[in-house]
């Protein structure tokens, strides 16, 4: 660790640490829920979850939280992920592999485009 | 730093540790490992979250779900249900008095929601062992601002403007203290953090030291810059091993990042901090005694003036600030004096941390704006009495303070209002007492404490308090006479006027305030030889109600001194000559057959 | 017999840790007490006085002023009981009584088997879970006479501290 000499150095550390810490904030613009029932985990939901967290981190997105839920009841299309952004209808995606997860972050979270080929359900149940 | 989607903050404050936090954490980690969740779930031990009566406790983010009264089994279940399946485990949620379980307690419970956190802003929220988390919450930005943009005079001006007053008890304006020390002549100056928290019932300083040690280091560096000191001491009591450990870690991190040491952040300012550990002497919280103890001597106070601002450690100008006071400094610098002034009252700006203890439902730490009423503090935030009996009084300010009866609970809490009632703000300990507590006993109790802790240097305190205790012993034993009450008052006045330091000058306060508000209780002890609260052991007897006793023998078995006799299924008797009045029998009797009586 | 070299080494260590050498007496005594377990032998204190060049009377004065230092050997378990009001109003008096009864000693005394030393302490700052005691470095809160009895019996049987 080199010593901190300037406000810029301090700012950099703050931003880096904030990304980590902000996962604890609850005032978010959206939430990604990964179904982590036994079925989801068996289908690879853990890797999906990890990929989502990584993608958010890489793109400096810290106003979207990632949470886990139980089985959404859509076992045939696991791993499933639900994206809820403020003011928009919730969207459920199926077959979310780590690669697909990254696409969802890029398109849906960053440019508000629904990834139609993965779409399972739109709107509240 | 690991990537984690879920963060579990587990409270590692002293109270939660004593309630078994360690085993809960181990169970949590074991389960996380079992399900290979290490990459996505992070467990962080934080400082005290304040809700000590609910421990061990944790909060799971990002959802912010608050779980209380945990056990290793509970941890296992929470991992299996909450973490793996996203189902909230209701049985460990906080329950409202109505029985309703509340998941997001941190935002919704009055205990948390009514608080305004300045001094404890990071406690229970960040990992105290990780300097970067402190930085993420604007840590060390105040120091950067001071070093890059401000002159020492401007720093002092800002603190003066904020109206911050010493949180250790007397409420002396902090900015003025700094200014006096800056203006004093000396080849070297010191800033000392008084972390010798000793007032019974106060534990906010421990909580800040354990939960946010960096804020103290930052504030001391700012203070050092302002007064022209290059060295600081933190004087911590030896009873706080965890705080000492975390401060040591924080100091080495701060050195590594260049916030302590030579030429801090590229400026010309150098600053070093050392820890000094006490060895168990309450009087060392008094500033001149503390200085003596830092110098390696017996911790005895001396006459003031000269004040430490002129002649402190090694005879050099010294500022001594309490932990909570220092913790307010960085936010004042970053957010400005006007922001600070907008909270609290005109004469007592900002917030105060109170430690709620005794017979109150939500024991623990709360930080609230000054000027809040006792009623709001004790009932809305504190949740009222924990025993189902009416709250009779609250004791503030420890052995230097006084008792405030419930009739005065509309009083706003600030330095002046409390003083008017014969109590003091002190360091913020609030000990709640209900109808079972005898006020004479409480006064006697504090006197016993002072007699024990008096350093012995000056006569009024050493001998006077002993005489007062003798009289109170007589009264609680039922041997008091009416003249004794007058004698108590006379002694109290002399001790107050002639003692050398704050300890002696304030020692009679608990007696004076109880004499003022609870004269009738003193009279009952003296005239009728009766303790109305059934507390004074020499004035009560234990009796078994023969109509209720079924002869289950539970009481006889639990009695540590075999004072209870009786055959199975026959009414039992208590031999009051042998009985030590420990109350174990009342605790085990399922029929409510045993009670205390005072003639 | 007190190992002179060891004591000198501890004094040296305390000197190294300090920026200003003149104030290290209390820190040094803490180190020595930790080394000898629960007390500072008088011979060790004499060595400290020599090494630091301070009068023996000053070392003795400091040792006897602070309650956490002892010049008498203490038990394997030092039980410190909070005797302050927050613990008192929540049943601390009964805790004191049961400790004295079941150990058969008063404050400041050690049991004959050398196992327990009973001491008082000022507030431990754990009033949220009062009454509280400290056994060596461990805290125990929310105590009742029964819990204390079990705790002592467990330690007597050679159980660990928690």
């Amino acid at each position: 660790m080199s010593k901190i000499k300037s406000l810029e150095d301090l700012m950099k550390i703050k931003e880096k640490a904030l990304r980590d810490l902000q996962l604890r904030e609850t005032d978010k613009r959206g939430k990604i829920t990964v179904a982590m029932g036994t079925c989801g985990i068996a289908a690879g939901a853990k890797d999906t979850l990890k990929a989502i967290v990584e993608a958010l981190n890489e793109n400096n997105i810290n106003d979207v939280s990632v949470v886990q839920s139980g089985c959404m009841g859509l076992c045939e299309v696991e791993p499933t992920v639900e994206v809820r952004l403020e003011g928009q209808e919730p969207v459920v995606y199926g077959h979310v592999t780590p690669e697909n997860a990254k696409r969802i972050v890029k398109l849906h979270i960053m440019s508000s485009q629904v990834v139609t080929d993965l779409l399972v359900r739109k709107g509240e149940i | 730093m690991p990537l984690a989607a879920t963060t579990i903050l587990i409270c590692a404050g002293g109270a939660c540790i004593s309630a078994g936090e360690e085993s809960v954490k181990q169970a949590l980690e074991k389960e996380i490992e079992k399900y290979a969740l290490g990459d996505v779930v992070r467990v962080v031990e934080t400082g005290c979250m304040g809700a000590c009566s609910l421990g061990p406790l944790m909060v799971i983010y990002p959802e912010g779900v608050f779980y209380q009264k945990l056990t290793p089994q509970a941890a296992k279940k929470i991992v299996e249900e909450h973490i793996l399946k996203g189902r909230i485990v209701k049985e460990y949620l906080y329950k409202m008095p109505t029985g309703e379980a509340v998941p997001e307690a941190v935002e919704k419970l009055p205990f948390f929601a009514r608080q305004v956190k300045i001094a404890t802003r990071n406690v229970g929220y960040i990992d105290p062992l990780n300097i970067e988390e402190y930085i993420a919450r604007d840590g060390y930005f105040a120091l950067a601002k001071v070093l890059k943009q401000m002159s020492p005079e401007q720093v002092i001006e800002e603190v003066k403007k904020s109206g911050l007053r010493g949180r250790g008890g007397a409420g002396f304006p902090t900015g003025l203290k700094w200014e006096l020390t800056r203006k004093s002549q000396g080849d070297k100056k010191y800033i000392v953090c008084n972390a010798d928290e000793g007032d019974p019932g106060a534990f906010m300083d421990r909580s800040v030291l354990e939960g946010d040690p960096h804020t103290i280091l930052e504030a001391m560096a700012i203070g050092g810059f302002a007064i022209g000191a290059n060295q600081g001491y933190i004087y911590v009591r030896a009873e706080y091993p965890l705080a000492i450990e975390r401060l040591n870690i924080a100091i080495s991190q701060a050195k590594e990042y260049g916030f302590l040491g030579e030429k801090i952040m590229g400026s010309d300012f150098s600053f070093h901090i050392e820890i000094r550990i006490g060895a168990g002497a309450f009087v060392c919280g008094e500033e001149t005694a503390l200085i003596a103890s830092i110098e390696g001597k017996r911790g005895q106070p001396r006459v003031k003036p000269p004040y430490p601002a002129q002649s402190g450690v090694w005879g050099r100008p010294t500022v001594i600030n309490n932990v909570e006071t220092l913790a307010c400094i960085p936010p004042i610098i970053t957010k400005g004096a006007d922001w600070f002034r907008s909270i609290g009252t005109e004469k007592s700006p900002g917030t105060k941390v109170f430690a709620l203890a005794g017979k109150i439902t939500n024991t623990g730490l709360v930080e609230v704006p000054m000027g809040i009423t006792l009623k709001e503090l004790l009932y809305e935030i504190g949740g009222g009495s924990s025993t189902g009996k009416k709250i009779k009084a609250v004791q503030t300010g420890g052995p230097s303070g006084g008792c405030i009866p419930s009739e005065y609970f509309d009083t706003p809490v600030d330095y002046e209002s409390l003083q008017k009632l014969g109590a003091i703000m002190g360091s913020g300990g609030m000990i709640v007492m209900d109808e079972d507590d005898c006020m004479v006993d409480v006064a006697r109790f504090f006197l016993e404490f002072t007699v024990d802790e008096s350093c012995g240097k000056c006569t009024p305190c050493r001998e006077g308090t002993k005489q007062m205790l003798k009289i109170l012993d007589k009264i609680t034993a039922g041997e008091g006479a009416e003249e004794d009450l007058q004698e108590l008052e006379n002694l109290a006045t002399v001790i107050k006027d002639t003692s050398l330091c704050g300890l002696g000058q304030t020692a009679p306060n608990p007696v004076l305030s109880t004499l003022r508000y609870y004269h009738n209780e003193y009279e009952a002890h003296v005239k009728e030889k009766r303790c109305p609260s059934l507390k004074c052991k020499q004035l009560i007897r234990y009796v078994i109600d023969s109509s209720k006793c079924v002869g289950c023998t539970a009481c006889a078995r639990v009695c540590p001194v075999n004072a209870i006799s009786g055959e199975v299924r026959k009414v039992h008797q208590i031999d009051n000559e042998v009985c030590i009045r420990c109350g174990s029998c009342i605790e085990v009797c399922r029929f409510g057959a045993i009670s205390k009586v005072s003639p | 017999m007190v190992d002179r070299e060891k004591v000198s080494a501890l004094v040296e260590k305390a000197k190294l840790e300090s920026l200003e050498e003149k104030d290290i007496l209390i820190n040094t005594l803490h180190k020595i007490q930790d080394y000898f377990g629960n007390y500072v032998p008088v011979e060790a204190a004499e060595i400290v006085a020599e090494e630091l060049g301070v009068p023996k009377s000053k070392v003795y004065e400091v040792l006897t002023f602070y309650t956490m230092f002892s010049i008498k050997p203490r038990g394997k378990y030092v039980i410190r009981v909070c005797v302050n009001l927050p613990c008192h109003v929540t049943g601390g008096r009964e805790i004191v009584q049961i400790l004295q009864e079941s150990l058969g000693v008063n404050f400041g005394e050690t049991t004959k088997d050398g196992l327990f030393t009973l001491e008082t302490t000022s507030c431990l700052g754990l009033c949220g879970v009062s009454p509280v005691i400290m056994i060596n470095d461990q805290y125990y809160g929310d105590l009742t006479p029964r819990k204390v009895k079990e705790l002592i019996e467990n330690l007597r049987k050679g159980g660990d501290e928690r």
Side-chain angles (χ1 to χ4, degrees), chain C residues 90-139:
Chain C
T90 49
R93 188 162 48 174
E94 286 71 31
I95 302 300
V96 170
Q97 207 151 28
I98 200 78
L99 276 168
Q100 290 175 335
E101 292 282 332
S102 54
L103 297 176
V105 292
N106 274 319
F107 286 122
E109 295 175 357
T110 302
T111 51
K112 284 209 183 78
D113 56 7
L115 216 46
F116 300 100
T117 299
L118 191 61
E119 291 185 358
T120 60
T121 171
S122 178
C123 184
L124 293 170
L126 296 167
C127 321
V129 289
S130 57
V132 185
I133 65 171
M134 204 175 170
I135 302 181
N136 293 345
D137 275 345
Q138 289 275 353
Y139 300 113

Side-chain angles (χ1 to χ4, degrees), chain C residues 9 11 33 47 69 76 97 135 137 143 152 154:
Chain C
V11 175
Q33 178 156 294
I47 298 171
F69 293 131
K76 182 178 172 199
Q97 207 151 28
I135 302 181
D137 275 345
L143 294 173
I152 299 295
N154 186 33

